[in-house]
Amino acid sequence: MNQKTIWVCIIGLISFSLNVAGQQPDKAAKEKMEKKYPSLHIQAKVGKRNTPVPGSSYMMTMTMTPEIVIESAKTQPMASASATFLLVTMETSAKYARGQEELIIATSETQGIPAVAKGSRRSIEFKALSTRYDSDRDSSNVGGQEYKYYIMAVFADDNQFLHFETNCPELSRHLQAHPELRVKFLGMKPRETFKTNFK
């Protein structure tokens, strides 16, 4: 075995050792997280109820009720967590009268999720939002805001992501390629413009 071969072997062993050492904390952290949040299952829901505005044949009131359903192992404790929920709405006159899509962040709310001695199915409800909008989908539309998307995340007690979910396909694809941007979108404030033409 010549000197070059020996150095290649030594470098390879060092690299392997570093990789193993680097993986161990990740594995340990994952096991710790699974112990604190056993058998965790999370689902976002947005209930929508439309009611006609009295005296109008086209204006509607839409009430949106955001909710997170969280389940964990029934026989094991679950640590505390927190959840952030954003609603995105669409301007109807821009869509139907001008053929453009104008979206805004309508609400952003964060809630704490208390720890439990034994896991269970729990519903975390967020503040409801009511908007008025023109329900005629033509050039006569006079505007208003109606529900379009949600963005939601649940965090561990050390602020690590436990779950992230959105029903916006463009944002979902964008964040698959750039997961580090999840915090940016979760930090958006009400009335901020929300665009889906990611580049």
Side-chain angles (χ1 to χ4, degrees):
M1 186 179 290
N2 60 35
Q3 190 173 9
K4 183 178 179 181
T5 305
I6 292 170
W7 276 110
V8 168
C9 290
I10 291 171
I11 291 169
L13 285 170
I14 292 171
S15 176
F16 175 77
S17 299
L18 288 173
N19 283 336
V20 169
Q23 288 170 6
Q24 284 174 343
D26 291 340
K27 185 179 179 183
K30 185 178 179 183
E31 288 174 353
K32 183 180 178 182
M33 193 72 74
E34 288 173 353
K35 187 175 180 180
K36 289 167 70 176
Y37 303 95
S39 304
L40 194 62
H41 178 73
I42 300 167
Q43 182 184 9
K45 295 181 177 181
V46 179
K48 301 185 294 292
R49 186 175 73 253
N50 286 301
T51 55
V53 173
S56 175
S57 61
Y58 55 89
M59 292 301 293
M60 302 287 287
T61 297
M62 175 179 277
T63 301
M64 296 154 260
T65 52
E67 177 185 0
I68 291 175
V69 177
I70 183 166
E71 294 182 74
S72 59
K74 294 181 179 180
T75 58
Q76 298 175 56
M78 185 189 119
S80 63
S82 62
T84 298
F85 209 120
L86 287 74
L87 290 175
V88 179
T89 57
M90 178 186 73
E91 217 300 316
T92 59
S93 64
K95 177 71 173 179
Y96 302 117
R98 302 193 301 276
Q100 302 169 354
E101 189 168 69
E102 294 180 5
L103 305 174
I104 62 164
I105 301 296
T107 65
S108 175
E109 184 182 354
T110 298
Q111 284 197 34
I113 302 172
V116 287
K118 288 186 179 180
S120 60
R121 180 185 174 92
R122 291 183 281 171
S123 293
I124 312 299
E125 296 181 356
F126 294 79
K127 290 177 185 175
L129 172 69
S130 290
T131 61
R132 284 191 175 188
Y133 70 99
D134 185 341
S135 61
D136 288 343
R137 301 189 171 196
D138 56 32
S139 60
S140 70
N141 193 292
V142 297
Q145 296 287 328
E146 70 172 326
Y147 169 74
K148 187 68 176 180
Y149 300 122
Y150 68 80
I151 306 169
M152 179 275 284
V154 177
F155 297 92
D157 56 4
D158 60 358
N159 295 320
Q160 291 189 61
F161 276 98
L162 289 173
H163 184 80
F164 181 93
E165 187 177 326
T166 179
N167 62 342
C168 175
E170 296 89 350
L171 179 60
S172 183
R173 286 192 294 270
H174 183 61
L175 293 179
Q176 282 177 3
H178 305 282
E180 71 281 1
L181 296 179
R182 292 176 297 180
V183 173
K184 171 190 169 184
F185 287 97
L186 288 165
M188 295 184 75
K189 304 298 182 186
R191 308 307 302 175
E192 275 192 61
T193 299
F194 178 78
K195 295 186 180 293
T196 58
N197 56 338
F198 305 111
K199 293 180 181 179

